[in-house]
Coordinates of all heavy atoms in Angstrom, one line a residue:
E27 N -61.4 -19.0 -106.2 CA -62.4 -19.9 -107.0 C -62.8 -19.2 -108.2 O -62.9 -19.9 -109.3 CB -63.5 -20.2 -106.1 CG -64.6 -21.1 -106.8 CD -65.8 -21.4 -106.0 OE1 -66.0 -20.6 -105.0 OE2 -66.6 -22.3 -106.3
E28 N -63.1 -18.0 -108.2 CA -63.6 -17.3 -109.4 C -62.6 -17.0 -110.4 O -62.8 -16.7 -111.6 CB -64.3 -15.9 -109.0 CG -65.5 -16.1 -108.1 CD -66.1 -14.8 -107.6 OE1 -65.3 -13.8 -107.6 OE2 -67.3 -14.7 -107.3
V29 N -61.3 -17.1 -110.0 CA -60.2 -16.9 -110.9 C -59.8 -18.2 -111.6 O -59.5 -18.3 -112.8 CB -59.0 -16.3 -110.2 CG1 -57.8 -16.1 -111.1 CG2 -59.4 -14.9 -109.6
I30 N -59.6 -19.3 -110.8 CA -59.2 -20.6 -111.3 C -60.3 -21.4 -111.9 O -60.1 -22.4 -112.6 CB -58.4 -21.4 -110.2 CG1 -59.4 -21.7 -109.1 CG2 -57.2 -20.6 -109.7 CD1 -58.7 -22.6 -108.0
H31 N -61.6 -21.0 -111.6 CA -62.7 -21.7 -112.1 C -62.8 -23.2 -111.8 O -63.1 -24.0 -112.6 CB -62.8 -21.5 -113.7 CG -62.9 -20.1 -114.1 ND1 -63.9 -19.3 -113.8 CD2 -62.0 -19.3 -114.8 CE1 -63.7 -18.1 -114.3 NE2 -62.5 -18.1 -114.9
V32 N -62.4 -23.5 -110.6 CA -62.5 -24.8 -110.0 C -63.3 -24.8 -108.8 O -63.1 -23.9 -107.9 CB -61.1 -25.4 -109.6 CG1 -61.2 -26.8 -109.0 CG2 -60.2 -25.4 -110.8
N33 N -64.4 -25.6 -108.7 CA -65.3 -25.6 -107.6 C -64.5 -25.8 -106.3 O -63.6 -26.6 -106.2 CB -66.3 -26.7 -107.7 CG -67.4 -26.7 -106.6 OD1 -67.1 -27.1 -105.5 ND2 -68.5 -26.2 -107.0
K34 N -64.8 -24.9 -105.3 CA -64.1 -25.0 -104.0 C -64.2 -26.3 -103.3 O -63.2 -26.8 -102.6 CB -64.5 -23.8 -103.1 CG -66.0 -23.9 -102.8 CD -66.4 -22.7 -101.9 CE -67.9 -22.5 -101.8 NZ -68.5 -22.1 -103.1
A35 N -65.3 -27.0 -103.5 CA -65.5 -28.3 -102.8 C -64.5 -29.3 -103.5 O -63.9 -30.1 -102.8 CB -66.9 -28.8 -103.0
Q36 N -64.3 -29.2 -104.8 CA -63.4 -30.2 -105.5 C -62.0 -29.9 -105.1 O -61.2 -30.9 -104.8 CB -63.6 -30.0 -107.0 CG -64.9 -30.3 -107.5 CD -65.1 -29.9 -109.0 OE1 -64.3 -29.3 -109.6 NE2 -66.3 -30.3 -109.5
S37 N -61.6 -28.7 -105.0 CA -60.2 -28.4 -104.7 C -59.8 -28.7 -103.2 O -58.8 -29.4 -103.0 CB -59.9 -26.9 -104.9 OG -60.8 -26.0 -104.2
V38 N -60.6 -28.3 -102.3 CA -60.3 -28.6 -100.9 C -60.4 -30.1 -100.6 O -59.6 -30.6 -99.8 CB -61.1 -27.8 -99.9 CG1 -60.9 -26.3 -100.0 CG2 -62.6 -28.1 -100.0
L39 N -61.3 -30.8 -101.3 CA -61.4 -32.2 -101.1 C -60.1 -32.9 -101.6 O -59.5 -33.8 -100.9 CB -62.6 -32.8 -101.9 CG -62.8 -34.3 -101.7 CD1 -63.1 -34.6 -100.2 CD2 -64.0 -34.7 -102.6
F40 N -59.5 -32.4 -102.7 CA -58.3 -33.0 -103.2 C -57.1 -32.8 -102.2 O -56.4 -33.7 -101.9 CB -57.9 -32.3 -104.6 CG -56.6 -32.6 -105.1 CD1 -56.2 -33.9 -105.6 CD2 -55.6 -31.7 -105.0 CE1 -55.0 -34.2 -106.0 CE2 -54.3 -32.0 -105.4 CZ -54.0 -33.2 -105.9
F41 N -57.0 -31.5 -101.8 CA -55.9 -31.2 -100.8 C -56.0 -31.9 -99.5 O -55.1 -32.4 -98.9 CB -55.8 -29.7 -100.6 CG -55.3 -28.9 -101.8 CD1 -56.1 -28.0 -102.5 CD2 -54.0 -29.2 -102.3 CE1 -55.6 -27.3 -103.6 CE2 -53.6 -28.5 -103.4 CZ -54.3 -27.6 -104.0
G42 N -57.3 -32.1 -99.1 CA -57.5 -32.8 -97.8 C -57.2 -34.2 -97.9 O -56.5 -34.8 -97.0
A43 N -57.7 -34.9 -98.9 CA -57.4 -36.3 -99.1 C -55.9 -36.6 -99.3 O -55.3 -37.5 -98.8 CB -58.2 -36.9 -100.3
L44 N -55.2 -35.7 -100.1 CA -53.8 -35.8 -100.4 C -53.0 -35.7 -99.1 O -52.0 -36.4 -98.9 CB -53.3 -34.8 -101.4 CG -51.8 -34.8 -101.8 CD1 -51.5 -36.1 -102.3 CD2 -51.5 -33.6 -102.7
S45 N -53.4 -34.8 -98.2 CA -52.7 -34.6 -96.9 C -52.7 -36.0 -96.1 O -51.6 -36.3 -95.6 CB -53.4 -33.5 -96.1 OG -53.3 -32.3 -96.8
W46 N -53.8 -36.6 -96.0 CA -53.8 -37.9 -95.3 C -53.1 -39.0 -96.0 O -52.5 -39.8 -95.3 CB -55.3 -38.3 -95.0 CG -55.9 -37.5 -93.8 CD1 -56.7 -36.4 -93.9 CD2 -55.6 -37.8 -92.4 NE1 -57.0 -36.0 -92.6 CE2 -56.4 -36.8 -91.7 CE3 -54.9 -38.8 -91.8 CZ2 -56.4 -36.8 -90.3 CZ3 -54.9 -38.7 -90.4 CH2 -55.7 -37.8 -89.6
L47 N -53.1 -39.0 -97.3 CA -52.4 -40.0 -98.0 C -50.9 -39.9 -97.7 O -50.2 -40.9 -97.5 CB -52.6 -39.9 -99.6 CG -54.0 -40.3 -100.1 CD1 -54.1 -39.9 -101.6 CD2 -54.1 -41.8 -99.9
L48 N -50.4 -38.7 -97.7 CA -49.0 -38.4 -97.4 C -48.6 -38.8 -95.9 O -47.6 -39.3 -95.7 CB -48.7 -36.9 -97.6 CG -48.7 -36.4 -99.1 CD1 -48.5 -35.0 -99.1 CD2 -47.6 -37.2 -99.9
L49 N -49.6 -38.6 -95.0 CA -49.4 -39.0 -93.6 C -49.1 -40.5 -93.6 O -48.3 -41.0 -92.8 CB -50.6 -38.6 -92.8 CG -50.6 -37.1 -92.3 CD1 -51.9 -36.8 -91.7 CD2 -49.4 -36.9 -91.3
F50 N -49.9 -41.3 -94.3 CA -49.8 -42.7 -94.3 C -48.5 -43.2 -95.0 O -47.8 -44.1 -94.6 CB -51.0 -43.4 -94.9 CG -52.2 -43.5 -94.0 CD1 -53.2 -42.6 -93.9 CD2 -52.2 -44.6 -93.1 CE1 -54.3 -42.8 -93.1 CE2 -53.2 -44.8 -92.2 CZ -54.3 -43.9 -92.2
I51 N -48.2 -42.5 -96.1 CA -47.0 -42.9 -96.9 C -45.7 -42.7 -96.1 O -44.8 -43.5 -96.1 CB -47.0 -42.2 -98.2 CG1 -48.2 -42.6 -99.1 CG2 -45.6 -42.4 -99.0 CD1 -48.3 -41.8 -100.4
F52 N -45.7 -41.5 -95.5 CA -44.4 -41.2 -94.8 C -44.4 -41.6 -93.3 O -43.5 -41.4 -92.6 CB -44.2 -39.7 -94.8 CG -43.7 -39.2 -96.2 CD1 -44.7 -38.7 -97.1 CD2 -42.4 -39.3 -96.6 CE1 -44.3 -38.2 -98.3 CE2 -42.0 -38.8 -97.8 CZ -43.0 -38.3 -98.7
G53 N -45.5 -42.2 -92.9 CA -45.6 -42.7 -91.5 C -45.7 -44.2 -91.5 O -46.6 -44.8 -90.9
S54 N -44.8 -44.9 -92.1 CA -44.9 -46.3 -92.3 C -44.4 -47.1 -91.1 O -44.7 -48.3 -91.0 CB -44.0 -46.7 -93.5 OG -42.7 -46.3 -93.4
E55 N -43.7 -46.4 -90.1 CA -43.3 -47.1 -88.9 C -44.6 -47.6 -88.2 O -45.6 -46.9 -88.2 CB -42.5 -46.2 -88.0 CG -41.2 -45.8 -88.7 CD -41.4 -44.5 -89.5 OE1 -42.6 -44.1 -89.6 OE2 -40.4 -44.0 -90.0
A56 N -44.5 -48.7 -87.5 CA -45.6 -49.3 -86.9 C -46.3 -48.4 -85.9 O -47.5 -48.2 -85.9 CB -45.2 -50.6 -86.2
E57 N -45.5 -47.7 -85.0 CA -46.1 -46.9 -84.0 C -46.8 -45.6 -84.7 O -47.9 -45.2 -84.3 CB -45.1 -46.5 -83.0 CG -45.6 -45.6 -81.9 CD -44.5 -45.2 -80.9 OE1 -43.4 -45.9 -80.9 OE2 -44.7 -44.3 -80.0
T58 N -46.1 -45.1 -85.6 CA -46.6 -43.9 -86.3 C -47.8 -44.2 -87.1 O -48.8 -43.5 -87.1 CB -45.5 -43.3 -87.2 OG1 -44.3 -43.0 -86.4 CG2 -46.0 -42.0 -87.9
H59 N -47.7 -45.3 -87.8 CA -48.9 -45.8 -88.6 C -50.1 -46.0 -87.8 O -51.2 -45.5 -88.2 CB -48.5 -47.1 -89.3 CG -49.7 -47.6 -90.2 ND1 -49.9 -47.2 -91.5 CD2 -50.6 -48.5 -89.9 CE1 -50.9 -47.8 -91.9 NE2 -51.4 -48.6 -91.0
Q60 N -50.0 -46.5 -86.6 CA -51.1 -46.7 -85.7 C -51.7 -45.4 -85.2 O -52.9 -45.2 -85.2 CB -50.7 -47.6 -84.5 CG -51.8 -47.9 -83.5 CD -52.9 -48.7 -84.1 OE1 -52.7 -49.5 -85.1 NE2 -54.1 -48.5 -83.6
R61 N -50.8 -44.5 -84.9 CA -51.3 -43.1 -84.5 C -52.0 -42.4 -85.6 O -53.0 -41.8 -85.3 CB -50.1 -42.3 -84.0 CG -50.4 -40.9 -83.5 CD -49.3 -40.3 -82.8 NE -48.1 -40.2 -83.6 CZ -47.8 -39.3 -84.5 NH1 -48.8 -38.3 -84.7 NH2 -46.7 -39.3 -85.2
V62 N -51.5 -42.5 -86.8 CA -52.1 -41.8 -87.9 C -53.5 -42.5 -88.2 O -54.5 -41.8 -88.5 CB -51.3 -41.9 -89.2 CG1 -52.0 -41.4 -90.4 CG2 -50.0 -41.1 -89.0
M63 N -53.5 -43.8 -88.1 CA -54.8 -44.6 -88.3 C -55.9 -44.1 -87.3 O -57.0 -43.9 -87.7 CB -54.6 -46.1 -88.2 CG -55.8 -46.9 -88.4 SD -56.5 -46.8 -90.1 CE -55.3 -47.8 -91.0
E64 N -55.5 -44.0 -86.1 CA -56.4 -43.6 -85.0 C -56.9 -42.1 -85.3 O -58.0 -41.8 -85.0 CB -55.8 -43.7 -83.6 CG -55.5 -45.1 -83.2 CD -54.8 -45.3 -81.9 OE1 -54.4 -44.2 -81.4 OE2 -54.6 -46.4 -81.4
G65 N -55.9 -41.3 -85.7 CA -56.3 -39.9 -86.0 C -57.3 -39.8 -87.2 O -58.2 -39.0 -87.1
L66 N -57.1 -40.7 -88.2 CA -58.0 -40.6 -89.3 C -59.4 -41.1 -88.9 O -60.4 -40.5 -89.3 CB -57.4 -41.5 -90.5 CG -58.4 -41.6 -91.7 CD1 -58.5 -40.3 -92.4 CD2 -57.8 -42.6 -92.7
Q67 N -59.4 -42.2 -88.1 CA -60.7 -42.7 -87.7 C -61.4 -41.6 -86.8 O -62.7 -41.5 -87.0 CB -60.5 -44.0 -86.9 CG -60.0 -45.1 -87.7 CD -59.7 -46.4 -86.9 OE1 -59.5 -46.3 -85.6 NE2 -59.5 -47.5 -87.5
E68 N -60.7 -40.9 -86.0 CA -61.3 -39.9 -85.2 C -61.8 -38.7 -86.1 O -62.9 -38.2 -85.9 CB -60.3 -39.3 -84.2 CG -60.9 -38.2 -83.3 CD -59.8 -37.6 -82.4 OE1 -58.7 -38.2 -82.3 OE2 -60.1 -36.6 -81.7
N69 N -61.0 -38.4 -87.1 CA -61.4 -37.3 -88.0 C -62.6 -37.7 -88.9 O -63.5 -36.9 -89.0 CB -60.2 -37.0 -89.0 CG -60.3 -35.7 -89.7 OD1 -59.8 -35.5 -90.8 ND2 -61.0 -34.8 -89.2
I70 N -62.6 -38.9 -89.4 CA -63.8 -39.4 -90.1 C -65.0 -39.5 -89.3 O -66.1 -39.2 -89.7 CB -63.5 -40.8 -90.7 CG1 -62.4 -40.7 -91.8 CG2 -64.7 -41.4 -91.4 CD1 -62.7 -39.9 -93.0

């Protein structure tokens, strides 16, 4: 954080949100999509 001068909250929030976006994009099959949706709801 002190080297890149980016607030740690901003950076981990970006990587965390991006991870779930990718899970939905690459999990488009009905069964997989439902499992990812349930996982996100549990996480949230």
Side-chain angles (χ1 to χ4, degrees):
E27 179 186 15
E28 296 178 336
V29 177
I30 62 177
H31 301 293
V32 178
N33 184 283
K34 55 184 171 291
Q36 298 171 354
S37 55
V38 296
L39 183 61
F40 169 75
F41 289 118
L44 180 59
S45 296
W46 279 100
L47 287 173
L48 293 175
L49 278 170
F50 275 97
I51 292 173
F52 289 96
S54 55
E55 299 87 355
E57 183 178 346
T58 304
H59 179 83
Q60 181 62 28
R61 180 167 57 83
V62 173
M63 179 65 75
E64 292 175 355
L66 178 63
Q67 291 174 346
E68 179 183 354
N69 197 205
I70 293 296

